[in-house]
Amino acid sequence: MASNEEITGPISQEDIEAADKLKNEANEYFKKQSYNNAIELYSKAIEKNPKNAVFFANRSIANLRLENFGYALSDASKAIELDRSYTKAYYRRAAAYMSLGKYKLALKDFEYVTKVRPNDQDAKMKYTECNKIVKKIAFEKAISVDKKEVNIADSINLDAMTIEDEYVGPALEDGVVTLKFVTELMEFYKQQKKLHKKYAYKILIDVKAYLQKQPSLIDIKVPDDAKFTVCGDIHGQYYDLMNIFQLNGLPSETNPYLFNGDFVDRGSFSVECIFTLFSFKLLYPNHFYMSRGNHETLDMNRMYGFRGEVSSKYTSQMADLFTEVYNWLPLAHCINGRVLVMHGGLFSKDDVTLDDIRKVDRNKQPPEDGIMCELLWSDPQPMIGRAPSKRGVGCQFGPDVTNTFLQRNGLDYVIRSHEVKNDGYEIAHDGKCITVFSAPNYCDTMGNLGAFITMNGKDLKPNFTTYEAVPHPDVKPMAYANSFFNMLCQ
């Protein structure tokens, strides 16, 4: 992000006025939720006047909205460096820290504001709320250490759960998912009804048992004349998921799918999405695949709504069970030995092989670096080489990195998701790195198309289908997200 921040010496009145004009234009784009345009103009304002803390703080919040947590953090820190008394910059930095799961560092920022402004009630309230979150997480960690040997899936007593007479929803047949069950479930969900907790728990326990036996890298064989579909992020947009099946047919043994992570969070129908997808996984285990995304993690679920949604629709115990299940999701899939599919991207080192991915011990929350982290978090960049991630986690990799990785592993190209694209997809790195994103009008604000990829087993040539968002019931995105975090990001 070029910003000429190191410029010293006086800035002309002309540049100051031009910068303010650019900032005002950027603010208008921000209000329209056109965050990329806003960032471009804030950056131009910074070039004209790199000594104005407001420009950096404003660019920070725009980057937060785009989930560029690393950039948001550095911008907020620069704003603080320029103006130590600028309260809003501390709040921006705290929001960036929280987005990255660094709650104690966020608390330090709030603590500083309360010290320098002891009569500021807003600062006091934010400090108190953040402190509650830090204490709650510490408490949860202490309990999990005490209960290290307790496996939630094993502790669920399904026999003790009764199906009430008034429940008229879909039912498992002899405890098994059938096509009848899934089709009824999808219709039931469209009417905003809730699957019985006994069936919900059974699905989670069975999915976990299946996933535990799978490697971290799944090899998929697609026959020459067969079709295969890859979908990107769904993010709790259930009605758009239903539209994909409308456009491309329901999953079946002759219509296999791979969903490439980020099934939940942000959208407020995440429970409906994940139980539909897990049901198909149990119904067609060898023709329906799911990769872990960076949002199938505890910190993301805590901030962006999934934990809140599960706790609201079911229980916090079920939310903990989801965390257990997500830890076993595969990290990547390889189609016919020629196309590698992962949620995020490639690696900070050139020597990574498919065997290295196969050997990853994935039953955990992703670490802050290494193969597992980069598979979930990295992004491509147009420039050669590598750069620190705009997200603050993973890395950014150029076309040369992609080429080296493909040659080393005998692959044709990679498919990844993880980033909103206006057309629902993007072809980069000379056609060798493809992004697919399947949540149209992401968060009801971005105005993007969604897309999915179809290919046949013979040539594996990617074909793109794009589509617009469909109407959904009046439940706003992030309805179940941490309310304190939502407040910080306003």
Coordinates of all heavy atoms in Angstrom, one line a residue, residues 111 122 369 378 382:
E111 N -7.4 0.1 27.5 CA -6.9 0.5 28.8 C -6.1 1.8 28.7 O -6.3 2.7 29.5 CB -5.9 -0.6 29.3 CG -5.4 -0.4 30.7 CD -4.6 -1.6 31.2 OE1 -4.0 -2.3 30.3 OE2 -4.5 -1.7 32.4
D122 N -17.6 6.2 27.3 CA -17.5 5.3 26.1 C -16.3 4.4 26.2 O -16.4 3.2 26.0 CB -17.6 6.1 24.8 CG -17.6 5.2 23.6 OD1 -18.5 4.3 23.5 OD2 -16.8 5.3 22.7
D369 N 1.4 -19.6 11.6 CA 2.3 -19.8 10.4 C 2.4 -21.2 10.1 O 1.8 -22.1 10.7 CB 3.7 -19.1 10.7 CG 4.3 -19.7 11.9 OD1 4.1 -20.8 12.3 OD2 5.1 -18.9 12.5
S378 N -3.7 -17.6 2.9 CA -2.9 -16.9 2.0 C -3.7 -16.4 0.8 O -4.8 -16.9 0.5 CB -1.7 -17.8 1.4 OG -0.8 -18.0 2.4
P382 N -0.4 -10.0 -7.9 CA 0.0 -9.9 -9.3 C 1.5 -9.8 -9.4 O 2.1 -10.3 -10.4 CB -0.7 -8.7 -9.9 CG -1.1 -7.9 -8.7 CD -1.3 -8.8 -7.5

